[in-house]
Amino acid sequence: MPEIRRLPSDLVNRIAAGEVVERPAAALKELVENAIDAGARRVGVVLADGGLQRIEVVDDGCGMGPEAMALALERHATSKLPDSLIGPDGAIELVTTLGFRGEALPSIASVARLTIESRETGAADGWRRVVDHGAVLADEPAALPPGTRVRVEELFAKVPARRKFLRSARSEYAACLDVVRRLAMARPDIAFTLETLGEGTKRTVLSLQAGEELATRVARIIAHELKDNSVPIDLVRETPYGLMRLTGVAGLPTWNRGVADHQYLFVNGRPVKDRLLVGAVRGAYADMLARDRHAVLALFLDLPPQDVDVNVHPAKTEVRFRDSAGVRGFIVSGLRQALATGDRRSAQGPDRAAMARWVSEPVMEQADLLPSRLREGSGVGMPHAPLWPQQAHPKPSPQGDGLLLREAATAFAMPQGRAEEAAPVPAEAQSYPLGIARGQVANTYIVAEAADGLVLVDQHAAHERLVLERLRAAGADAGVRRSQALLVPDVVEMDEVDCDRLEDAAEGLARYGLAIERFGPSAMLVRALPAALPKADSAALLRDLADDIAKHGKQEDSGALLLAERLELVLATMACHGSVRAGRTLSVAEMNALLREMEATPRSGQCNHGRPTWVKLSMEDVEKLFGRH
């Protein structure tokens, strides 16, 4: 029988490093978390070669003495667990500090050259300790201000098996930047700076001041445009152990991205990447975004420590909730409630490229298409290409060069726009966000005048959203969920684990019209399909639902997020076919009625596919187009 023996301490540290420090960004995360837990008000980060060559974190926290520094480099030694949480009667799940395992520093020191310099507040001198891949090289006094400076160099230099699996310096830098952004977003009360070194130069990437408002900090980190294209979130719900609160900012559905990298999720101040939270965000935006687009947001979920387990992963990037369905429902309802009150507006302003084309449109060179009197006048020009076919061959005029400007307009085909005589503007029009309709362009776009600018509305996209909301209010979604019983039930053979998942979610699936039951250890019996999906492949549908439940968890209301999305798609399709089509002529009264209903309808800022229903050109932008600014 092979002999059982204890592993050497240096090997134990390297094994632990494989769980905690798999790349420079992981080491940086641990160091910044230590600085935050030390009570720092300022945290500075310096990176060289994306963290592969050097990582340095400086803070003004409480600092450490020589004895505490030596103890901090021992495994499972931490100052972040008070005595009340240790022992047989302790409740370790009540821990609120970011890092508490006591593995990070010794793990980093076992696979890199680690230099720690620290000085306690009020102490006359500081102390330095240098450890190179587990070997102590220096233990001596040091001169530095109160606080701690930690420097990590040559990560995995003596562990080639790990070093060769690291990515390029650019990729590692991107991961480090993401770590700093997330931690800085979680603590707007702390000042953060991030600098990079390269080719003898130092560049400041982030410089965030302490005491910023949450929305301001989030916008500075993600994008400045987020502040004008988002809605605030602040909701509270009671739990058996206290209050659960959701705060943050959620981007408008029309202001989206092609990847989900701009979704920042936090639980009790910890940046996490949790599948349940990601699924909740996806569900909240389900009927407001195209499937290949992703919302931009920062959500901060705070709940009693008894309701969440943060000690399920060595790096603490995953959490486990006591009531996962309740948390998901709270997030979905909170997001939808916030978007329903704030997203009647669209993404602010027109596209920059489109604005640039307006400003730089060239003047037509074929001046001989105009009579001489018009050619000699100043400021008269036409685009290179004729807007309408008749422009290329204007009808001859008996008046020749004496054609008046008023009469010249009739020599060209009428534009595809239509307006009625301007009526007196009612007094209450000043309070209309979408203004008063003035005309229609190409029988597709409504032109409206608002108090603060010019509004263009896509009549089909807008009415599509209005019809969808009407269908929901009228209970059409309940009709979509009705069942259609099968004459002969389908037997679908599946893995036993998938069958267990579907059986557990059967009650929720039945609410959406899918009636299933267990049929032996590894098969499911399908008795009815949703009436909206009468020709669905039972086997393919169940396999997809099982995969969706495995990925996003069981949903209490619908059983699986995927089924709810499919039925929402049916409802959206009904709304699309029942809405005003592009190319239909509307009267001004009909246009104004559409505008007023948009202002009163939730989520009217985007259609069912996530496209904006209207854009506004401010008066300042209009004046810029004509050089009046």
Side-chain angles (χ1 to χ4, degrees), residues 182-229:
R182 292 179 185 273
L183 291 172
M185 203 178 294
R187 295 299 300 268
D189 58 316
I190 300 177
F192 283 84
T193 59
L194 172 61
E195 298 175 325
T196 60
L197 301 177
E199 299 180 356
T201 61
K202 179 181 290 188
R203 182 172 64 94
T204 300
V205 179
L206 283 179
S207 181
L208 305 171
Q209 302 301 316
E212 294 178 320
E213 293 184 357
L214 178 61
T216 302
R217 173 63 66 90
V218 170
R220 291 191 63 188
I221 292 175
I222 298 179
H224 292 291
E225 297 85 358
L226 179 62
K227 197 169 185 180
D228 295 327
N229 294 286

Side-chain angles (χ1 to χ4, degrees), residues 480 482-484 486 490-494 498 501-502 505 509-510 512-516 524-550 558-567 570:
V480 168
R482 287 198 298 265
S483 293
Q484 177 174 313
L486 301 179
D490 286 343
V491 178
V492 180
E493 295 185 358
M494 308 180 68
D498 289 338
R501 295 190 179 113
L502 291 171
L509 295 173
Y512 276 72
L514 179 62
I516 60 174
M524 298 297 296
L525 190 68
V526 181
R527 293 193 175 275
L529 290 171
L533 304 174
K535 298 181 180 180
D537 184 339
S538 301
L541 179 61
L542 260 59
R543 281 195 294 268
D544 290 345
L545 292 176
D547 292 342
D548 185 74
I549 295 172
S558 63
L561 181 62
L562 180 64
L563 182 59
E565 286 184 346
R566 287 195 177 188
L567 296 181
V570 173

